[in-house]
Every structure is written in C-alpha cells, then in structure tokens.
Amino acid sequence: MIVATDRNAEQLASWIEKELLPGLVLESVHNGEPIVVRNAPEGWKKLGAGNYAAVFAHSDAEDVVVKVYAPGREGWEDEVEVYRRLGDHPAYSRCYYAGEWEGRKYLVMKRLHGTTLYECVKQGIKIPKEVIDDIDAALDYARERGLHPHDVHGKNVMVADGRGIVVDVSDFLKTEPCLMWDDLKKAYNRFYMPFLSKAPVPMPDWVMNSVRKGYRLFRSAHS
C-alpha cells in the first residue's frame, strides 16, 4: 500500500509512469464530448471521464487518484494553477504532483470519497443544509484567491460524512458568469427543503433526466 504525502510525490509519479501511463489508451473523439478510454492497465479502475481527461484509481494507493489528460485536450496548465491557489482546504482535493510523461500530462491528487448531490437525490439520501453552506464557503474561499467558480453543479459536489465538498475545479480560471450553483441552491430551497428534506425518496432515471433536460432548456432561454 502506498500512502500519499508531499514527500513521496515523486515516488508516486514514478510508479504511475511505470504502471499506468504506458498501457493507457485515451482517445479524443469529438470536442465537447467526454473522452473515450480504450484501454487501461490491469488493476486500474476508471472513476470517470470528462471533456478533458479521465480519472483513475488503484487499490495499492487508495487515497489518491490520477487524472490523465487526453491528447490534444487543453486545461492541464489551468488546473495546476487552480490547485496551486487553493492550497490545502478540506472542501477540495489536493494536487500532490503535476507531471508529463512522453507527452502525457497528468495530475496526482487526493482522492475524495462521498456521494454527489445528484446521486443523493436519485437514491433518496438526505442532503443536510450544512452541505450547501460548506460548499458556499468553499466557493467564497476560491474567490478570495482570485478564482472564479465555474461548472459547479449536482454531479461536481458531494456529501462526505455530512459535509459538503467540491470535486471538479478544472474550470475555475474561466471568467464568464456561471449560474449553475445559484440555480441549484434555489431549487434546493424552493423544492427540496419543503417537499423532500424530511423524508427523501429515490427518484427514477426518467425524472432525473427530465429535470436535467428541463434545466438546460430554461438556462438556454435565459442566457
């Protein structure tokens, strides 16, 4: 078992460059669409894939994740800068190492464990008001460090041991307005608190998808 610390960051990077990156095949199929993972070495589990990169974990280093950027996708330098400004904060991950291996850019980060707000609503898990307050405070902290919270929505924030944490900060250098978090808070206060907070019930996929599509139409009409 490898335990991540700032002191052994280079050891972790060396292990990743030997065990993960040589056998990893990422493909950028279409701009604006999530990248595709064609192959990952045995023992590495894909936790997710976004428009820029994919995130992997290994049982031998359970407290870290590796975010690998796909060829041709930008954003690595910006994310490195965001984590530099954030430093060590309980509501955010922490970047232990930022490296490049044979043209592959990657980050080694503290792994965050929890349940996204989206999954909480879907599974009928209660979302305490403290979670919303924690995330608000975390976003204010980011603003104080010259960042601009962006793309903060139900799949990018989590409940972890009753507290709120922010999962994805890759777009925090973008300066254009983003109302996703404000809209989510309004929905929480107007609909979740009075109707679901006391006795949450699981929501079927068709309801979640309808809400998601409805929100996109609403925001497009008001942008």
Coordinates of all heavy atoms in Angstrom, one line a residue, residues 7 14 27 37 40 48 52 60 74 77 85 91 114 148 165-166 182:
R7 N 6.0 14.4 0.5 CA 7.3 13.9 0.5 C 7.6 12.8 -0.5 O 8.6 12.6 -1.1 CB 7.8 13.5 1.9 CG 7.9 14.7 2.9 CD 8.4 14.2 4.2 NE 8.5 15.3 5.1 CZ 9.0 15.1 6.4 NH1 9.3 13.9 6.8 NH2 9.1 16.2 7.2
S14 N 6.7 8.3 -10.3 CA 7.5 7.2 -10.9 C 6.7 5.9 -11.1 O 6.7 5.3 -12.1 CB 8.7 7.0 -10.1 OG 9.5 5.9 -10.7
E27 N -8.7 8.4 -26.1 CA -9.0 8.9 -27.4 C -9.9 10.1 -27.3 O -10.9 10.1 -26.6 CB -9.6 7.9 -28.3 CG -9.8 8.3 -29.7 CD -10.3 7.2 -30.6 OE1 -10.3 6.1 -30.2 OE2 -10.7 7.6 -31.8
V37 N -11.9 6.0 -23.1 CA -10.8 5.2 -22.6 C -10.9 3.9 -23.3 O -11.8 3.1 -23.1 CB -11.0 5.0 -21.1 CG1 -9.8 4.1 -20.6 CG2 -11.0 6.3 -20.3
A40 N -7.0 0.4 -20.3 CA -6.4 0.8 -19.0 C -5.7 -0.5 -18.5 O -6.3 -1.6 -18.5 CB -7.4 1.3 -18.0
G48 N -14.1 8.0 -13.8 CA -14.9 8.9 -14.6 C -14.1 9.5 -15.7 O -12.9 9.4 -15.8
Y52 N -12.0 16.7 -20.8 CA -10.6 16.9 -21.0 C -9.8 15.7 -20.6 O -8.7 15.4 -21.2 CB -10.2 18.1 -20.1 CG -11.0 19.3 -20.2 CD1 -11.9 19.7 -19.1 CD2 -10.9 20.1 -21.3 CE1 -12.6 20.8 -19.2 CE2 -11.7 21.3 -21.4 CZ -12.5 21.7 -20.4 OH -13.3 22.8 -20.5
D60 N -3.7 -0.2 -4.6 CA -2.4 -0.1 -3.9 C -2.2 1.4 -3.5 O -1.2 1.6 -2.7 CB -1.2 -0.5 -4.8 CG -1.2 -2.0 -5.0 OD1 -1.8 -2.7 -4.2 OD2 -0.5 -2.5 -5.9
E74 N -6.9 20.7 -23.9 CA -6.2 21.7 -23.1 C -6.8 21.6 -21.7 O -7.7 20.9 -21.4 CB -6.5 23.1 -23.7 CG -5.9 23.2 -25.1 CD -6.2 24.6 -25.7 OE1 -7.0 25.3 -25.1 OE2 -5.7 24.9 -26.7
E77 N -2.6 23.0 -17.6 CA -1.9 24.1 -17.0 C -2.8 24.9 -16.1 O -2.4 25.3 -15.0 CB -1.3 25.0 -18.1 CG -0.1 24.4 -18.8 CD -0.6 23.5 -20.0 OE1 -1.8 23.4 -20.2 OE2 0.3 23.0 -20.8
R85 N -3.4 27.7 -6.2 CA -4.0 28.8 -5.5 C -4.9 28.3 -4.3 O -5.0 28.9 -3.2 CB -4.9 29.6 -6.4 CG -4.2 30.4 -7.5 CD -5.1 31.4 -8.2 NE -4.5 31.8 -9.5 CZ -5.1 32.7 -10.2 NH1 -6.2 33.3 -9.9 NH2 -4.5 33.1 -11.4
A91 N -12.5 21.2 1.8 CA -13.6 21.0 0.8 C -13.1 20.7 -0.6 O -13.9 20.6 -1.5 CB -14.5 22.3 0.8
G114 N -17.3 10.3 -1.3 CA -18.6 10.8 -0.9 C -19.6 10.4 -2.0 O -19.4 9.6 -2.8
H148 N -12.6 31.8 -10.1 CA -14.0 32.1 -10.5 C -14.7 30.7 -10.6 O -14.7 30.1 -11.6 CB -14.0 32.8 -11.8 CG -13.2 34.0 -11.9 ND1 -13.6 35.2 -11.4 CD2 -11.9 34.1 -12.3 CE1 -12.6 36.1 -11.6 NE2 -11.6 35.5 -12.1
I165 N -18.3 19.0 -0.2 CA -17.0 19.1 -0.8 C -17.2 19.4 -2.3 O -18.2 19.0 -2.9 CB -16.1 17.9 -0.6 CG1 -16.8 16.6 -1.1 CG2 -15.7 17.8 0.9 CD1 -15.9 15.4 -0.9
V166 N -16.2 20.0 -2.9 CA -16.2 20.3 -4.3 C -15.3 19.4 -5.1 O -14.1 19.3 -4.7 CB -15.8 21.8 -4.6 CG1 -15.9 22.2 -6.0 CG2 -16.7 22.7 -3.7
D182 N -25.9 28.8 -8.2 CA -27.0 29.6 -7.7 C -28.4 29.0 -8.0 O -29.3 29.0 -7.2 CB -26.9 31.0 -8.3 CG -25.8 31.8 -7.8 OD1 -25.3 31.5 -6.6 OD2 -25.4 32.8 -8.4

